[in-house]
Amino acid sequence: MRPPTRSDHTAPTDDRGTADPAASAWTPVVRPATRWLWLVGTALAVLAVHSNWHVAIAAWLFPIFLMRYARLRPPRVGIPRVGFAIAVSTIAWLGSASLLFAVNTLILPVFAALTVLQALAFAADRLVATRLEARSGLLSTLVFPVSLVTAEYLFTLLLRFGDYGALGFTQHANAPLIQLASVTGVYGVSFVVAWFASVVTWAWGAGFRWPVIRRNVLVYAGVLAMVLAAGGIRLAFLAPTTDTVRIAGISASADAMRASSDAQERAGIPYGDAADVADADQGEASAAFAPVTDELVASTQREAAAGARVIQWPETQARVLESDKDALVDEVADIARDEETYVNLAFALYGTEEPRLRNVAVLITPDGETAWTYDKAQPTPMEALRGIEPGDGDVPVTDSPIGRLATVICYDADFPDLMRQAAGKDAALVLVPANDWLGYENLHAERATLRSVEYGYAQVRQSANGLSTTIDHQGRVLAMSDHFTTDRQTMIAEVPVQPRTATVYSAIGDVFAWLCLGAAAALAALAGHQARRGRREPDGGGASRMPRIGR
């Protein structure tokens, strides 16, 4: 048995990592097992990422284990491994959403950037928060939440890929909590969730000794209690009116879709590529698309006669040739006039000249007039590959007896600046035709709950191949229909008739996110100053150092 060497031992430390000068440098080190922390944190991170099978509570818990792990390892070891855990959760999300292999090369680098930004929040906790603990435990707990919000906001701001990755979306079903979004946007919800994890991690480092952790735990508990109480008050006292209007969302049946698909196969346009449709026999193409459009028109007639005052079609389920567009609009205009209803048509529009393919929504009023023709402003990367031209991004609105109406199309709703336009134009009801896919059917619908809270308007989101929902201005789901569990998807909702509810967030925008960005920079600067000051002190600032932990 070899004699012990200095590499096997180090000075023991207290719970904050402060070296005990009274102990011998030859005292054996206690090497705590840390691998289980990483494994638990990684597993919870996979469950926490917003997906069809996410678990809301996991979003509160997973950072605790990963931050604790990083704090017990040297930075050069802990930070990359935590980054790898975040990468695992991202890959799991891409796989669950059927995006891991069925994407172009643009998506993977974008989500790699998101992974790096999120990992930087954990790096900030390891490198910044631990240096601030000796100065202020409360300040140190703020490092992770402000850094995480900064990462989420920078992703939205710089990558222009929507606001994916925001932790707050996982809390979409927590009605009192998500009311905070009416002031801070989704970023405030992310902050509250991340701050909880940071406080628990700090308390863990202090051995959960109540006299030591009491003040900071009570500060967080008080803030959380106020947020939940304010959310409950908002739900109770700003509840929607009892005056409602009947709204219907309709989609074509599986039989109609199969009939159209078979006809497109025979016409030589199985995938509906713009160039193939333009080159095909236009009569055959029109006949191939007809089963879906005919059924949607029949469903429009049925629901209008049943009393629906607004009818919403799904995104691009209907395919329409430019030469057939006017006839379709005229047919629906007759229904709208006869039944005194608004119909928001949505379809893929094929032309023989550029742009050959457009993704549009057309609102027909009870006068039979066309109130808007809106082109999707943010085509997905897959749509861009198909040649769909983006619109100008000017969100249309129109007055109606049930409040101002507006529309965006599916992925547009992931861009806060577009949804803020609708609020700025006092829209009370936003119509959102959508088209999702298996593995992704819930995500957009769940994100829409926070959009409504942020901007104070109701939404009708009718999705082909996804979850259709009607949501009021406080994020309550009024109606829901799942494309994959029903043959003929029709969603009926009684939606409150009222003006848009003004929100702080719609007025001030992302001020909270900018404040977090500034706070992250300030805390990093303060930690740097603390480190320089520690190096100048005779004892080398040992109180700010973490213990050396072996593998």
Side-chain angles (χ1 to χ4, degrees), residues 488-508:
R488 188 188 301 272
Q489 186 184 19
T490 301
M491 175 179 62
I492 306 297
E494 292 290 338
V495 180
V497 177
Q498 62 185 74
R500 185 183 72 88
T501 300
T503 66
V504 174
Y505 181 68
S506 61
I508 68 173

Side-chain angles (χ1 to χ4, degrees), residues 365-443:
T365 71
D367 297 327
E369 301 297 325
T370 298
W372 65 54
T373 298
Y374 171 76
D375 284 73
K376 187 175 186 178
Q378 294 288 343
T380 66
M382 289 78 81
E383 288 176 314
L385 286 177
R386 293 181 61 202
I388 290 180
E389 293 289 330
D392 60 12
D394 184 15
V395 174
V397 297
T398 190
D399 290 316
S400 82
I402 61 175
R404 302 201 86 189
L405 307 179
T407 197
V408 296
I409 299 177
C410 199
Y411 187 43
D412 289 345
D414 293 340
F415 291 81
D417 53 340
L418 288 173
M419 301 304 278
R420 190 174 293 123
Q421 276 191 53
K425 297 175 182 180
D426 282 330
L429 177 62
V430 179
L431 307 174
V432 187
N435 196 336
D436 299 300
W437 59 87
L438 187 64
Y440 201 85
E441 63 268 28
N442 295 346
L443 272 68

Side-chain angles (χ1 to χ4, degrees), residues 56-74:
I57 191 63
W60 299 74
L61 299 178
F62 89 90
I64 299 171
F65 294 92
L66 293 182
M67 284 191 287
R68 180 65 176 165
Y69 173 82
R71 288 180 173 215
L72 291 176
R73 303 309 308 269

Side-chain angles (χ1 to χ4, degrees), residues 134-151:
R135 184 184 187 98
S136 169
L138 182 61
L139 277 182
S140 73
T141 66
L142 294 174
V143 171
F144 178 67
V146 299
S147 299
L148 185 69
V149 170
T150 296

Side-chain angles (χ1 to χ4, degrees), residues 451-537:
R451 286 286 102 93
S452 284
V453 175
E454 287 174 336
Y455 297 114
Y457 44 57
Q459 290 185 74
V460 176
R461 186 179 185 278
Q462 182 67 17
S463 176
N465 303 299
L467 191 68
S468 298
T469 52
T470 301
I471 305 160
D472 75 9
H473 69 284
Q474 293 181 324
R476 295 182 185 87
V477 178
L478 305 177
M480 180 184 299
S481 179
D482 189 342
H483 170 89
F484 296 105
T485 59
T486 181
D487 174 61
R488 188 188 301 272
Q489 186 184 19
T490 301
M491 175 179 62
I492 306 297
E494 292 290 338
V495 180
V497 177
Q498 62 185 74
R500 185 183 72 88
T501 300
T503 66
V504 174
Y505 181 68
S506 61
I508 68 173
D510 296 318
V511 167
F512 179 79
W514 281 107
L515 289 174
C516 285
L517 193 155
L523 290 171
L526 184 61
H529 173 73
Q530 189 83 358
R532 290 190 298 272
R533 179 181 175 184
R535 285 193 294 270
R536 290 196 299 266
E537 291 176 355

Side-chain angles (χ1 to χ4, degrees), residues 200-382:
V200 173
T201 302
W202 170 82
W204 194 345
F208 292 110
R209 292 178 294 170
W210 183 244
V212 177
I213 68 175
R214 179 178 59 239
R215 187 185 67 173
N216 293 346
V217 169
L218 290 178
V219 167
Y220 175 78
V223 171
L224 180 61
M226 286 190 293
V227 167
L228 294 177
I233 291 170
R234 186 174 191 269
L235 289 168
F237 291 97
L238 293 178
T241 68
T242 56
D243 186 15
T244 63
V245 62
R246 183 183 177 97
I247 293 179
I250 59 172
S251 297
S253 67
D255 287 343
M257 293 297 295
R258 278 193 295 269
S260 180
S261 179
D262 291 345
Q264 289 178 60
E265 184 81 33
R266 292 192 297 271
I269 50 172
Y271 306 111
D273 289 336
D276 291 340
V277 173
D279 293 339
D281 180 276
Q282 296 300 284
E284 291 184 3
S286 178
F289 295 156
V292 171
T293 53
D294 288 349
E295 185 171 281
L296 287 171
V297 170
S299 296
T300 299
Q301 176 69 67
R302 181 188 70 241
E303 296 306 325
R309 299 282 65 87
V310 179
I311 298 172
Q312 174 65 63
W313 288 24
E315 176 195 20
T316 63
Q317 191 179 42
R319 298 178 175 185
V320 180
L321 299 180
E322 182 73 47
S323 58
D324 292 335
K325 176 192 170 187
D326 289 344
L328 173 64
V329 170
D330 289 344
E331 186 176 9
V332 174
D334 289 340
I335 298 172
R337 273 192 299 265
D338 292 344
E339 304 295 345
E340 298 183 349
T341 189
Y342 291 85
V343 184
N344 198 35
L345 308 175
F347 47 85
L349 182 61
Y350 290 85
T352 55
E353 298 179 357
E354 296 296 337
R356 289 186 173 183
L357 183 57
R358 296 164 59 193
N359 185 341
V360 300
V362 178
L363 181 69
I364 310 300
T365 71
D367 297 327
E369 301 297 325
T370 298
W372 65 54
T373 298
Y374 171 76
D375 284 73
K376 187 175 186 178
Q378 294 288 343
T380 66
M382 289 78 81

Side-chain angles (χ1 to χ4, degrees), residues 94-135:
L94 289 169
S96 72
S98 303
L99 288 171
L100 190 57
F101 302 109
V103 297
N104 66 2
T105 56
L106 173 64
I107 290 181
L108 293 182
V110 166
F111 282 94
L114 175 61
T115 298
V116 171
L117 287 169
Q118 291 173 332
L120 287 176
F122 289 88
D125 176 78
R126 178 62 180 87
L127 300 175
V128 177
T130 53
R131 293 187 181 278
L132 292 177
E133 284 184 347
R135 184 184 187 98

